[in-house]
Amino acid sequence: AAQGLLLQGSATAGGASSSSSHGDTGITAEAAWQKNKQQQRRPRMGRQAAQQLQQHLDETAAKNAASPSYARLHAKRNALPAAAAREECLRLLQQHQVLVVTGETGCGKSTQVPQFILEQAQQQGRLQDANIVVAQPRRLITTSLSRRVAEERGEAVGNVVGYSIHADRRLSRLTRLTFCTTGILIRRLQVDPALSSVSHVIIDEVHERGLEVDFLLTAMRELAAARPDLKLLLMSATLNSSNITDYFAAQVAGSVGCLHIPGRTFDVQQFFLEDLIEARLRTALAAEAAGAAAADGRPPPSGSGYGFDASSFAAYTGASTAGELAASAAAGRVAAQGGVVMPHGAKLAGSTNPKFAPDRRNWDERLKGYVAAEDSHLKEHYSPATVAEVQRWAACIAKPRTNDDLRKQHAAAAVAAIQFICRHETDPGSVLVFLPNWQAIASVFEQLMAEEEVASALQVFVLHSLLPMQEQQEAFNHAPPGFRKVILATNIAESSITFDDVAAVVDSCRVNLADFDAVNNLPTLGPQWASQASLWQRRGRAGRVRPGMCIHLIPRTMAEQHLEPFDPPELRRMPLGDVCLLVKSLGFADIGGFLGRVPDPPAAAAVASAVAELQAMWALDEQQRLTPLGRLLALLPGDVRLTRMVIFGALLGVLDPVLTLAAAETAQGDVLRMPNDTMVAEYEARKADGSSADGLTDDYSQQQSWQTFGRRPEQGQGRAAGGGQGAQGQWLYTARDMQWERRAELAGGDSSDHQAVLAAFKVGAWRVPHTL
């Protein structure tokens, strides 16, 4: 079906394709808006649709008036800090074309600010003229917010409030408020560069500075200058608002408004790695003392001699005499019995080899320059045993024997924190664990399930962007009585998501970040230390609807003095091929000029490298104009190289195996790569031992494994967090799901991407290259 679709496009190209060789067929936002201005107004809702909308509003109002649940939700909305800022928000929006909204975690800005605009338009009788688009960086956030806002309005998703994400949309002719991903908004710009039917654009979580967010900031600045009637709102919890304000004020006429909404987070007790080690130490010493006393027929010891009268972190904080988060040095030394020997039950760090002690370069590269031996705060406030354990942990991180040891060390700390919470915290609330990637999630899951005593009372969920939306939504379910819910998540859960049962957050302080060597054209992806802004965001997940606690699994000094304030912009650490195609698809002639106007421009060498690669792939010609293939690549989602591979696979009649490789590469990331000497040596060693190597290009057993995973499961058949197959089984599941999804996109349907491809074919945007 996909091959027929593409060949149909080649047959319809005809004479239209010849005109594409004379320049870009796309039009700029300013030209599109000038053309639309001739019609004297922005496109409005039709009369019949307006009547249906009014009827729906009247019926919803009557239903809500008699609904106790709606009254409760309305009371909760009024209790949010954002409610008090409603009038100020609307006043600033009336005075300024661009409004920057910052707010503490839990203030309600993501759900309430769009509703303020929607409700004002409804009260003024011009709801049919309003068309609000809210762009979010992730699919799960997008669908969750749309459902929450629709619920607060007392209606179902898909009426006035809807959403649009990749391969899924809930919209209707009545929809006036659309939540979508940033990628969907970009594709909407490709079809309509002026966003002629849109009245308000809201970009949330601007602080993340992802590639798509930075692209949208630049494109919307250009569009705002061309369309004075368009209202633009930029929202974030942690944002240097002055930088963004100056950026837009430089091009948009008039001043840029700023609004800050105070937070209403509940009290969150914050702990660090040394607190976890000290708490484990004190409970272990107390248990040893109690066991010795019981053996001698004596009552167990109590009081400040151990400096820790109870087992919870709250009691540990209460026992402190030297500060809010630390026990006194005197109590700590008594607790450790004046020594540095850590009881076996409290050990956290792996073994170290004194012959291979880390040097300054190791501390700088692995721990951002943090050296535990130089940590004066640690030595002043914690017992010698804790100080020694933190130093051993730092040595294991700074100079691990293997990458597997490094991953296990990080996983061990996370598991220790989860187990301590499950054993000693009386609050039965769920635990949200932030981990960098799928490998870390699988490692923590396996270690957590290894201890039956704790595992038997846990209900574990996984949140990862590659999982199907249905499985991600399951993480919002409450655990049954007698079980504690544990959510193993990447930074997908860092912002805009509210779990109403989270009582504790365990933060690995790690995040999967991409980097790119423009000189050698080598992209990399791997765990790195998160920024201070991310730590603050993650901490806030525990205080959204109830008091909570957060354990950051790094020393306090490292968190406060060595981490970066914000994550680096993704445009500076990612291949730019996709974004270059987007720039051209919107009609901008100068790729380098456009990217030079983003808030933090990428290096000129990276832009030149991306343009050269696109020209080598026939996506751009020598004058940097889009070729028919380039237009098609710009319309289809995914990595440009893999998308090109899938297109030619369809044309050559080998779509299924090519889809398999593309899905596996997206899920695993190392299937399509040239082997080096080390990889060959490892492969030969595993083959000699009789074990299979990673990847799909291995022995017959791996092919059989893929064929088994490639079959669609029976209705109701799910997968556990570990999948019964470890990390490899999980990525096979993910690759299988992505293969099905991509095949459905190419074969047909009514998805926005499919319709965009059909539109491209109708204007002759595809022609099979003669060199094929």
Side-chain angles (χ1 to χ4, degrees):
Q3 184 178 4
L5 175 63
L6 292 174
L7 292 178
Q8 176 189 359
S10 122
T12 58
S17 63
S18 61
S19 62
S20 66
S21 62
H22 298 291
D24 294 338
T25 58
I27 56 177
T28 63
E30 183 174 3
W33 176 240
Q34 291 298 331
K35 179 180 179 181
N36 189 62
K37 280 182 64 177
Q38 298 174 4
Q39 302 173 0
Q40 299 299 320
R41 63 180 177 85
R42 191 164 37 81
R44 300 185 61 184
M45 176 182 284
R47 177 179 299 179
Q48 184 179 3
Q51 293 175 350
Q52 291 180 353
L53 175 62
Q54 188 58 50
Q55 181 181 357
H56 169 77
L57 294 176
D58 294 341
E59 293 175 352
T60 302
K63 182 189 67 174
N64 292 340
S67 172
S69 60
Y70 176 80
R72 288 192 295 270
L73 283 173
H74 189 69
K76 289 183 179 180
R77 285 190 62 194
N78 290 334
L80 290 171
R86 182 182 188 276
E87 298 304 322
E88 179 68 7
C89 176
L90 294 176
R91 183 185 68 82
L92 289 173
L93 193 58
Q94 184 177 7
Q95 295 177 351
H96 305 279
Q97 183 183 6
V98 180
L99 178 61
V100 178
V101 181
T102 59
E104 301 293 338
T105 298
C107 69
K109 62 185 180 304
S110 296
T111 57
Q112 302 309 305
V113 170
Q115 289 193 78
F116 295 162
I117 303 171
L118 191 69
E119 291 166 348
Q120 184 187 53
Q122 183 174 341
Q123 293 168 1
Q124 296 176 351
R126 53 181 182 84
L127 186 58
Q128 66 272 17
D129 295 330
N131 191 351
I132 308 162
V133 176
V134 183
Q136 290 284 344
R138 298 180 182 88
R139 295 185 302 170
L140 179 61
I141 298 174
T142 302
T143 56
S144 299
L145 288 177
S146 65
R147 290 189 176 97
R148 178 63 182 180
V149 171
E151 182 184 14
E152 290 181 351
R153 288 181 53 83
E155 61 180 57
V157 178
N159 291 316
V160 176
V161 180
Y163 68 81
S164 177
I165 63 175
H166 180 57
D168 186 18
R169 56 191 303 181
R170 296 283 297 277
L171 303 172
S172 68
R173 63 191 304 184
L174 305 182
T175 303
R176 301 288 89 192
L177 172 57
T178 303
F179 289 86
C180 67
T181 57
T182 50
I184 292 296
L185 180 55
I186 289 174
R187 301 198 179 283
R188 190 163 181 172
L189 278 168
Q190 291 177 288
V191 177
D192 179 14
L195 295 180
S196 54
S197 63
V198 177
S199 61
H200 299 74
V201 173
I202 302 176
I203 304 177
D204 204 357
E205 307 302 339
V206 176
H207 73 280
E208 293 192 8
R209 301 299 305 277
L211 186 149
E212 292 179 340
V213 169
D214 270 11
F215 180 88
L216 281 175
L217 289 177
T218 309
M220 296 311 301
R221 189 177 75 154
E222 306 276 340
L223 180 56
R227 271 196 58 186
D229 70 316
L230 178 67
K231 296 292 186 178
L232 177 62
L233 291 87
L234 309 170
M235 301 199 303
S236 176
T238 55
L239 179 68
N240 189 341
S241 59
S242 61
N243 290 348
I244 295 296
T245 300
D246 295 342
Y247 177 72
F248 277 88
Q251 183 159 342
V252 179
S255 60
V256 177
C258 294
L259 174 66
H260 179 74
I261 303 176
R264 189 212 60 176
T265 56
F266 292 86
D267 181 45
V268 177
Q269 294 179 303
Q270 193 171 19
F271 303 98
F272 293 87
L273 179 68
E274 55 266 40
D275 299 302
L276 173 63
I277 294 174
E278 186 85 5
R280 284 164 54 87
L281 166 66
R282 296 185 179 200
T283 52
L285 291 173
E288 289 181 2
D296 296 339
R298 295 180 287 104
S302 62
S304 60
Y306 286 91
F308 194 50
D309 297 329
S311 300
S312 69
F313 269 99
Y316 171 50
T317 302
S320 170
T321 59
E324 180 184 0
L325 298 176
S328 67
R333 286 185 173 83
V334 171
Q337 300 175 341
V340 296
V341 177
M342 180 67 66
H344 179 74
K347 286 185 177 180
L348 189 62
S351 58
T352 58
N353 190 339
K355 295 181 180 180
F356 301 98
D359 54 24
R360 172 56 66 175
R361 183 174 60 85
N362 298 135
W363 298 120
D364 291 341
E365 292 180 354
R366 294 281 189 172
L367 287 170
K368 312 285 287 187
Y370 171 77
V371 182
E374 301 173 0
D375 191 341
S376 58
H377 177 270
L378 181 67
K379 296 177 181 178
E380 180 181 353
H381 296 293
Y382 293 86
S383 63
T386 295
V387 173
E389 189 70 3
V390 171
Q391 291 176 352
R392 282 192 292 269
W393 171 88
C396 291
I397 301 298
K399 197 168 185 178
R401 291 178 295 182
T402 65
N403 287 334
D404 190 53
D405 287 343
L406 179 64
R407 184 169 60 250
K408 289 181 179 179
Q409 181 63 73
H410 285 300
V415 171
I418 298 170
Q419 292 177 341
F420 190 93
I421 292 169
C422 293
R423 288 192 175 109
H424 303 299
E425 290 295 329
T426 57
D427 190 330
S430 63
V431 182
L432 176 60
V433 187
F434 284 98
L435 299 165
N437 53 26
W438 189 263
Q439 288 76 18
I441 289 175
S443 183
V444 170
F445 179 84
E446 291 169 4
Q447 292 189 34
L448 197 59
M449 294 296 103
E451 189 162 346
E452 182 64 24
E453 177 189 356
V454 175
S456 60
L458 297 181
Q459 191 175 44
V460 182
F461 294 93
V462 173
L463 272 183
H464 192 284
S465 60
L466 293 180
L467 288 177
M469 287 299 301
Q470 182 179 0
E471 293 191 25
Q472 295 185 40
Q473 291 291 345
E474 292 176 357
F476 291 90
N477 300 331
H478 289 192
F483 288 83
R484 187 189 293 268
K485 183 173 75 174
V486 175
I487 307 169
L488 306 180
T490 60
N491 61 344
I492 188 176
E494 192 172 295
S495 56
S496 296
I497 294 181
T498 297
F499 295 99
D500 58 6
D501 57 350
V502 169
V505 167
V506 175
D507 179 16
S508 69
C509 302
R510 305 279 282 175
V511 63
N512 226 32
L513 286 182
D515 205 351
F516 182 64
D517 182 354
V519 176
N520 298 309
N521 196 29
L522 292 175
T524 60
L525 177 66
Q528 299 182 29
W529 295 111
S531 65
Q532 293 174 347
S534 292
L535 265 61
W536 180 260
Q537 285 280 86
R538 296 175 182 187
R539 171 188 176 274
R541 297 304 99 189
R544 296 297 295 267
V545 296
R546 61 195 294 176
M549 60 179 292
C550 177
I551 308 174
H552 301 291
L553 299 179
I554 59 173
R556 167 187 277 273
T557 300
M558 180 179 172
E560 295 180 347
Q561 301 179 17
H562 294 269
L563 296 185
E564 299 293 336
F566 297 93
D567 290 328
E570 198 173 28
L571 267 175
R572 289 188 169 183
R573 50 184 174 82
M574 287 285 287
L576 299 177
D578 294 335
V579 73
C580 288
L581 285 179
L582 289 176
V583 171
K584 297 301 296 184
S585 68
L586 289 180
F588 293 97
D590 184 6
I591 296 176
F594 180 91
L595 294 180
R597 297 193 295 272
V598 302
D600 292 286
V607 178
S609 175
V611 170
E613 183 180 18
L614 291 174
Q615 290 173 335
M617 291 193 298
W618 313 333
L620 295 177
D621 62 17
E622 294 180 354
Q623 286 75 40
Q624 296 188 15
R625 295 174 301 194
L626 276 177
T627 66
L629 174 60
R631 273 189 283 277
L632 189 56
L633 289 174
L635 288 171
L636 290 171
D639 180 86
V640 62
R641 295 167 297 179
L642 296 180
T643 303
R644 179 178 182 268
M645 183 177 74
V646 170
I647 289 173
F648 284 114
L651 287 171
L652 297 173
V654 288
L655 177 62
D656 192 69
V658 169
L659 272 178
T660 298
L661 288 173
E665 174 66 18
T666 303
Q668 180 77 341
D670 60 356
V671 175
L672 301 174
R673 59 175 178 172
M674 294 296 292
N676 53 39
D677 294 340
T678 302
M679 294 170 57
V680 172
E682 292 177 352
Y683 172 81
E684 295 296 341
R686 285 193 296 265
K687 193 172 182 180
D689 293 339
S691 60
S692 62
D694 292 334
L696 296 177
T697 57
D698 198 18
D699 298 328
Y700 176 74
S701 59
Q702 286 285 18
Q703 300 175 23
Q704 292 293 100
S705 177
W706 175 256
Q707 291 175 6
T708 301
F709 276 94
R711 291 193 292 268
R712 186 178 295 272
E714 299 297 331
Q715 182 70 25
Q717 179 182 349
R719 52 175 164 175
Q725 302 280 340
Q728 183 177 359
Q730 285 297 335
W731 82 257
L732 283 172
Y733 272 119
T734 302
R736 180 199 63 186
D737 295 340
M738 296 183 69
Q739 185 188 35
W740 294 338
E741 182 179 307
R742 181 66 74 193
R743 183 184 288 112
E745 291 168 357
L746 291 171
D750 58 355
S751 69
S752 58
D753 292 326
H754 183 73
Q755 295 300 322
V757 171
L758 288 178
F761 290 151
K762 290 178 181 178
V763 299
W766 173 258
R767 180 175 57 183
V768 181
H770 296 299
T771 52
L772 182 62

